[in-house]
Amino acid sequence: MIKLFFSPASPYVRKVTASAIMLGLESQIERLPSAASPVQRDTTIAPHNPLGKVPTAVLEDGSALLDSRTICEYLDALAPEHGLFPGGKDRWEALRLHAIGDGLLDAALLLRYEQIMRPENLRWRDWQDGLGVKINGAVEALEEAVKSLQGRQDIGSITAGCAVGYLDFRFPDLDWRSDAPRLAEWWDEFGNTRWMEETAPIG
């Protein structure tokens, strides 16, 4: 049994749990709630991960996997026939989409922390604007990649879905769909898959 420290609002945890469901491995994962936050590490995770952050997976032998990329690679190794990380030429496109999705999430999370957690008088407008440019650029890149996303069930599509799903969750006033209508149409369909529906963020 894999013990997974998680937060129900974390898009990186969602990437892991959605991948597990898609691979048929959800019964092998025990979810352990975490109190980790951007300003305070979870002391229950720290013995396994010095950063004290989610997602962290503890394997049966006591060893730990420390981030979503590594954990998803491990899950793929448990069920390689499903191709979460495909082989051949398609692997590089999957990894490219994975990187764009993770980059979008990195920027969106930093923007969320800046707007919600930092005292208002200390917020830096140029920093927020720069993060917004990165978010818009990533959405534009995913819009251009829609043909590649269609029909894809791998780490690329899961990460892209977690990324735009996080925008819906934390930035409901950000009208990304107007600038990316084909991506929005893809997400409306992909978001209804079991692995995305059952991992929708809470909090």
Side-chain angles (χ1 to χ4, degrees), residues 1 4 30 34 43 45 64 68 74 108 128 134 189 197:
M1 182 70 69
L4 180 70
E30 177 187 357
S34 167
T43 56
I45 300 177
S68 64
Y74 180 80
Q128 294 182 66
K134 291 181 179 181
E189 180 178 351
E197 282 192 332

Side-chain angles (χ1 to χ4, degrees), residues 140-172:
E140 181 180 350
L142 292 176
E143 170 75 358
E144 293 174 356
V146 162
K147 286 186 178 180
S148 180
L149 284 169
Q150 290 170 344
R152 181 179 292 274
Q153 294 183 4
D154 60 22
I155 195 64
S157 58
I158 284 178
T159 309
C162 290
V164 294
Y166 187 76
L167 294 182
D168 286 342
F169 176 53
R170 290 303 194 198
F171 300 93

Side-chain angles (χ1 to χ4, degrees), residues 126-140:
D126 288 348
W127 173 242
Q128 294 182 66
D129 290 345
L131 292 171
V133 170
K134 291 181 179 181
I135 291 169
N136 292 337
V139 169
E140 181 180 350

Side-chain angles (χ1 to χ4, degrees), residues 58-107:
V58 181
L59 308 184
E60 290 186 356
D61 64 1
S63 61
L65 305 175
L66 305 189
D67 66 10
S68 64
R69 294 181 183 91
T70 305
I71 298 169
C72 287
E73 287 265 16
Y74 180 80
L75 295 176
D76 180 61
L78 295 180
E81 68 277 7
H82 292 287
L84 179 64
F85 287 82
K89 182 180 178 180
D90 198 41
R91 175 178 179 84
W92 306 114
E93 178 62 7
L95 292 179
R96 186 181 77 90
L97 294 168
H98 187 190
I100 294 171
D102 267 357
L104 194 164
L105 285 174
D106 290 345

Side-chain angles (χ1 to χ4, degrees), residues 16-29:
V16 171
T17 53
S19 295
I21 293 171
M22 194 193 80
L23 295 171
L25 299 173
E26 63 266 40
S27 64
Q28 298 186 34
I29 295 178

